[in-house]
mmCIF file of all heavy atoms in Angstrom:
data_model
loop_
_atom_site.group_PDB
_atom_site.id
_atom_site.type_symbol
_atom_site.label_atom_id
_atom_site.label_comp_id
_atom_site.label_asym_id
_atom_site.label_seq_id
_atom_site.Cartn_x
_atom_site.Cartn_y
_atom_site.Cartn_z
ATOM 1 N N ASP A 512 89.577 97.093 113.903
ATOM 2 C CA ASP A 512 88.436 96.191 113.748
ATOM 3 C C ASP A 512 87.250 96.795 113.018
ATOM 4 O O ASP A 512 86.162 96.226 113.033
ATOM 5 C CB ASP A 512 87.981 95.700 115.143
ATOM 6 C CG ASP A 512 89.062 94.898 115.851
ATOM 7 O OD1 ASP A 512 89.744 94.115 115.178
ATOM 8 O OD2 ASP A 512 89.212 95.073 117.076
ATOM 9 N N VAL A 513 87.423 97.948 112.388
ATOM 10 C CA VAL A 513 86.289 98.571 111.708
ATOM 11 C C VAL A 513 86.112 97.984 110.314
ATOM 12 O O VAL A 513 87.065 97.517 109.682
ATOM 13 C CB VAL A 513 86.462 100.101 111.614
ATOM 14 C CG1 VAL A 513 86.592 100.716 112.995
ATOM 15 C CG2 VAL A 513 87.670 100.470 110.753
ATOM 16 N N ASP A 514 84.887 98.001 109.843
ATOM 17 C CA ASP A 514 84.550 97.468 108.533
ATOM 18 C C ASP A 514 85.285 98.251 107.448
ATOM 19 O O ASP A 514 85.239 99.469 107.411
ATOM 20 C CB ASP A 514 83.031 97.596 108.329
ATOM 21 C CG ASP A 514 82.523 96.755 107.183
ATOM 22 O OD1 ASP A 514 83.013 95.634 107.009
ATOM 23 O OD2 ASP A 514 81.623 97.225 106.466
ATOM 24 N N GLY A 515 85.978 97.547 106.556
ATOM 25 C CA GLY A 515 86.686 98.209 105.467
ATOM 26 C C GLY A 515 88.003 98.832 105.858
ATOM 27 O O GLY A 515 88.560 99.639 105.106
ATOM 28 N N THR A 516 88.552 98.485 107.018
ATOM 29 C CA THR A 516 89.794 99.093 107.480
ATOM 30 C C THR A 516 90.962 98.759 106.554
ATOM 31 O O THR A 516 90.973 97.735 105.877
ATOM 32 C CB THR A 516 90.135 98.629 108.906
ATOM 33 O OG1 THR A 516 91.327 99.286 109.346
ATOM 34 C CG2 THR A 516 90.372 97.126 108.945
ATOM 35 N N ARG A 517 91.965 99.629 106.576
ATOM 36 C CA ARG A 517 93.215 99.347 105.882
ATOM 37 C C ARG A 517 94.224 98.649 106.791
ATOM 38 O O ARG A 517 95.288 98.253 106.326
ATOM 39 C CB ARG A 517 93.818 100.651 105.348
ATOM 40 C CG ARG A 517 92.974 101.317 104.265
ATOM 41 C CD ARG A 517 93.700 102.512 103.710
ATOM 42 N NE ARG A 517 92.941 103.162 102.650
ATOM 43 C CZ ARG A 517 93.389 104.193 101.947
ATOM 44 N NH1 ARG A 517 94.597 104.678 102.188
ATOM 45 N NH2 ARG A 517 92.644 104.748 101.008
ATOM 46 N N ASN A 518 93.897 98.553 108.066
ATOM 47 C CA ASN A 518 94.741 97.843 109.021
ATOM 48 C C ASN A 518 94.405 96.360 108.906
ATOM 49 O O ASN A 518 93.804 95.760 109.808
ATOM 50 C CB ASN A 518 94.483 98.367 110.441
ATOM 51 C CG ASN A 518 95.362 97.722 111.493
ATOM 52 O OD1 ASN A 518 96.090 96.760 111.211
ATOM 53 N ND2 ASN A 518 95.300 98.231 112.709
ATOM 54 N N LEU A 519 94.802 95.749 107.786
ATOM 55 C CA LEU A 519 94.407 94.373 107.512
ATOM 56 C C LEU A 519 94.998 93.393 108.507
ATOM 57 O O LEU A 519 94.381 92.374 108.837
ATOM 58 C CB LEU A 519 94.816 93.976 106.089
ATOM 59 C CG LEU A 519 94.071 94.635 104.940
ATOM 60 C CD1 LEU A 519 94.446 93.978 103.618
ATOM 61 C CD2 LEU A 519 92.566 94.570 105.142
ATOM 62 N N MET A 520 96.198 93.646 108.994
ATOM 63 C CA MET A 520 96.823 92.701 109.918
ATOM 64 C C MET A 520 96.195 92.749 111.300
ATOM 65 O O MET A 520 96.404 91.849 112.103
ATOM 66 C CB MET A 520 98.321 92.954 110.024
ATOM 67 C CG MET A 520 98.701 94.338 110.523
ATOM 68 S SD MET A 520 98.809 95.572 109.220
ATOM 69 C CE MET A 520 100.303 95.061 108.407
ATOM 70 N N GLY A 521 95.425 93.809 111.603
ATOM 71 C CA GLY A 521 94.780 93.908 112.908
ATOM 72 C C GLY A 521 95.723 94.286 114.023
ATOM 73 O O GLY A 521 95.478 93.952 115.184
ATOM 74 N N VAL A 522 96.774 95.028 113.716
ATOM 75 C CA VAL A 522 97.739 95.392 114.739
ATOM 76 C C VAL A 522 97.112 96.344 115.757
ATOM 77 O O VAL A 522 96.420 97.298 115.409
ATOM 78 C CB VAL A 522 98.998 96.038 114.105
ATOM 79 C CG1 VAL A 522 98.652 97.199 113.206
ATOM 80 C CG2 VAL A 522 99.979 96.483 115.178
ATOM 81 N N LYS A 523 97.351 96.038 117.028
ATOM 82 C CA LYS A 523 96.943 96.901 118.134
ATOM 83 C C LYS A 523 98.157 97.066 119.035
ATOM 84 O O LYS A 523 98.524 96.142 119.754
ATOM 85 C CB LYS A 523 95.779 96.289 118.904
ATOM 86 C CG LYS A 523 94.486 96.173 118.111
ATOM 87 C CD LYS A 523 93.377 95.544 118.946
ATOM 88 C CE LYS A 523 92.096 95.394 118.151
ATOM 89 N NZ LYS A 523 91.021 94.747 118.950
#
Side-chain angles (χ1 to χ4, degrees):
D512 298 320
V513 301
D514 195 39
T516 182
R517 294 185 179 184
N518 182 352
L519 291 189
M520 60 273 288
V522 54
K523 294 180 181 178

